[in-house]
Amino acid sequence: MFDADEIKKMIQEDRLDKFYTSRQWRRVARQVRELQHNECQRCKAQGFYEPCEVVHHKKYIKYFPELALRIDNLECLCFECHEEEHGRGRYNRAKNTDKEPLTPERW
């Protein structure tokens, strides 16, 4: 398993791809998807359903490498929410009527 120092070194060398393709990351990301029912957690909080496309670090790996594999630091996001999180887009689910609303049957 990677420790914080190894991850810091990968960050410095611009080699985080090694982390994101590792068996450890794939295992933890799979667990997060299962625990969060493969649903974007931000859309869910707004009453909409979108599938998980990205397992996101709440506290960025760049600043908190020691939390890189902690399940409580990870959340499922759809592409749009992940882009918005990183300042690459503006997306308001509440105003987008094309999205499927959650229904009691989904739970």
Side-chain angles (χ1 to χ4, degrees):
M1 186 175 293
F2 293 115
D3 64 19
D5 290 332
E6 289 175 298
I7 295 172
K8 285 178 191 175
K9 185 176 180 185
M10 285 184 235
I11 293 167
Q12 290 168 348
E13 295 173 352
D14 196 25
R15 292 288 316 206
L16 269 178
D17 59 311
K18 184 177 177 183
F19 171 78
Y20 285 114
T21 58
S22 71
R23 181 177 296 150
Q24 294 94 346
W25 169 251
R26 289 192 315 263
R27 181 178 41 83
V28 170
R30 185 174 50 249
Q31 288 175 337
V32 170
R33 286 175 184 269
E34 289 172 6
L35 287 169
Q36 297 179 9
H37 307 288
N38 204 40
E39 296 175 317
C40 174
Q41 298 302 292
R42 296 189 187 176
C43 290
K44 180 179 174 179
Q46 293 181 37
F48 291 91
Y49 168 75
E50 281 293 317
C52 176
E53 296 175 290
V54 179
V55 176
H56 170 72
H57 288 94
K58 296 176 194 176
K59 293 186 178 180
Y60 297 173
I61 191 172
K62 181 177 178 179
Y63 304 115
F64 300 94
E66 67 278 5
L67 302 178
L69 295 169
R70 296 264 318 250
I71 289 177
D72 60 346
N73 185 46
L74 300 170
E75 67 179 332
C76 284
L77 296 180
C78 65
F79 178 77
E80 290 87 1
C81 287
H82 191 249
E83 291 296 293
E84 186 174 344
E85 170 65 29
H86 288 284
R88 296 186 292 250
R90 287 273 176 234
Y91 200 79
N92 186 344
R93 279 267 183 249
K95 293 182 181 179
N96 188 341
T97 57
D98 293 346
K99 299 300 173 188
E100 181 183 332
L102 291 175
T103 63
E105 293 82 18
R106 284 206 52 79
W107 307 109

